[in-house]
Amino acid sequence: MRKWLLLTAAILLEVTATLSLRGALDHPALYVLVAVGYVGSFSVLALVLRAGLALGVAYGIWGASGVALTAILAALFFGDPFTGVMGLGIALVIAGVLCVELGAQSARARRPREEGAPS
């Protein structure tokens, strides 16, 4: 449970930093939030890996969630375009990350049987 909470924090920090980067174009003081957000995000992502979440799963969820949230929130906050094709792309990214997670779970479930099997 802890690793998922940490991953959520890493995602929110990264999205905050990215949106702040856009906002900093008009309000330069936001560059502080950009730096703190990115450093914080990578630091917390390292804690996620230390907590035992596989790199491919952690990075996939972090990256896909960051892309999806940033696109949606940029449309809301900054009036960026958000089209059906973009929505489909986000859905495909999420589906891909789910496949990576399911594959990782399958590999973890097989590992104990394979290690105990005679050669």
Side-chain angles (χ1 to χ4, degrees), residues 10-104:
I11 292 164
L12 293 175
L13 284 164
E14 189 268 335
V15 170
T16 299
T18 302
L19 292 172
S20 296
L21 184 60
R22 172 72 184 272
L25 298 174
D26 297 323
H27 307 284
L30 287 174
Y31 283 118
V32 172
L33 192 55
V34 172
V36 169
Y38 283 133
V39 169
S41 181
F42 283 107
S43 299
V44 175
L45 190 57
L47 294 175
V48 170
L49 298 176
R50 185 167 285 158
L53 198 57
L55 177 61
V57 173
Y59 184 73
I61 293 171
W62 179 78
S65 298
V67 166
L69 284 172
T70 300
I72 292 165
L73 293 174
L76 291 173
F77 294 149
F78 303 112
D80 283 4
F82 191 87
T83 65
V85 173
M86 293 171 71
L88 177 62
I90 288 171
L92 289 172
V93 168
I94 291 169
V97 170
L98 287 174
C99 288
V100 170
E101 171 60 16
L102 292 172

